[in-house]
Structure formats: structure tokens, C-alpha cells
Amino acid sequence: MTVSSILKDKGRDVATITPEATLQDAVNMLAARRIGAIVVTDFADRVAGILSERDIVRAAGRNGGDALTEPVSAHMTREVVTCAVDDSTEKLMEMMTAGRMRHLPVVQDGKLVGIISIGDVVKRRIADAELEAESLKAYIASG
């Protein structure tokens, strides 16, 4: 299975924010959408960074409540690992495990086209395993 098939099922909607927005803006968006990370994009819809709940907690730990008035750009991860629509779920699992990441923006032709979470990958792998098990049962029963 590929990123494309996951996006086909879950959709391509991605929560984004600008680097100039405040951490408070990001917190509000994360809470409203019930998500764990937000992609920071520039004016051309290119990935400029990613901001996760962990980044916000670290900022609050360093600067207390004052961190919420600071720009997203001060706390985002700038070197973002991304994936492509034709990447396999196996490759995603390797990338996420190696980089200890829970979210991978999907980029095509330099533009953000989706986001994949570790939950999306696990859900797909479970569905694939269940389908394989059912196919094997049907094969054995017909034999």
C-alpha cells in the first residue's frame, strides 16, 4: 500500500499555519481540530516547518505562559522530513521509527498535498493484515 491509497481514504485536508502566527493561534487550532501537529507553510504552500504538541510543551517549559505570544517560527521544526504519494507504508514506518516522528507531510511537486500520521499507517497495516487473513481462510476453506 502507498501514501496515495491512505490519502484516498482519509482525504487530503491538512491543518496549516503561517510562521508569523503565535503559539496561541497554533494551540487553538490544534485543540479545535483535535490533532497533534500542524504544518507551517509559506505563501506558496510549501512546507516551511512543522509544529507539534511536544514543541509547544517545550516552549512553555522554557518560557512559561509568555511562550504563547511568540511566533510559531521560533519553535517549529525547520528541517521537516516529508514523504511522497508513491511511498509505501513500509517506508513510512521505517522513516517514522528512525526519526521518532508521528506526522509526515506529503509533498508532490514541491507542494503540500496531505499529511500522514502514525495512526493512519497503523490503521492501514491492520486492515491489510485482516484482509490477508480473510483471504487465506477463504483459500483454505475452498481447498
Side-chain angles (χ1 to χ4, degrees), residues 2-64:
T2 64
V3 168
S4 180
S5 65
I6 294 173
L7 291 178
K8 182 179 176 189
D9 290 341
K10 78 171 265 188
R12 292 177 176 252
D13 183 44
V14 183
T16 62
I17 198 163
T18 64
E20 300 80 24
T22 66
L23 279 190
Q24 183 66 62
D25 296 330
V27 166
N28 293 344
M29 189 176 285
L30 290 171
R33 295 186 72 156
R34 301 183 66 184
I35 55 176
I38 189 165
V39 180
V40 185
T41 55
D42 65 15
F43 64 91
D45 241 5
R46 291 183 302 240
V47 176
I50 192 165
L51 184 76
S52 71
E53 295 166 320
R54 290 178 187 169
D55 298 323
I56 295 167
V57 168
R58 287 186 193 111
R62 284 190 304 268
N63 304 336

Side-chain angles (χ1 to χ4, degrees), residues 33-110:
R33 295 186 72 156
R34 301 183 66 184
I35 55 176
I38 189 165
V39 180
V40 185
T41 55
D42 65 15
F43 64 91
D45 241 5
R46 291 183 302 240
V47 176
I50 192 165
L51 184 76
S52 71
E53 295 166 320
R54 290 178 187 169
D55 298 323
I56 295 167
V57 168
R58 287 186 193 111
R62 284 190 304 268
N63 304 336
D66 292 340
L68 294 175
T69 63
E70 297 172 358
V72 166
S73 61
H75 302 286
M76 69 185 187
T77 300
R78 292 180 184 276
E79 295 193 21
V80 182
V81 175
T82 63
C83 63
V85 293
D86 58 350
D87 285 342
S88 69
T89 53
E90 291 83 8
K91 182 176 180 180
L92 294 181
M93 289 175 22
E94 289 172 15
M95 292 168 65
M96 290 175 149
T97 301
R100 302 188 70 206
M101 299 169 281
R102 296 184 301 166
H103 301 88
L104 285 175
V106 183
V107 175
Q108 185 174 22
D109 299 324

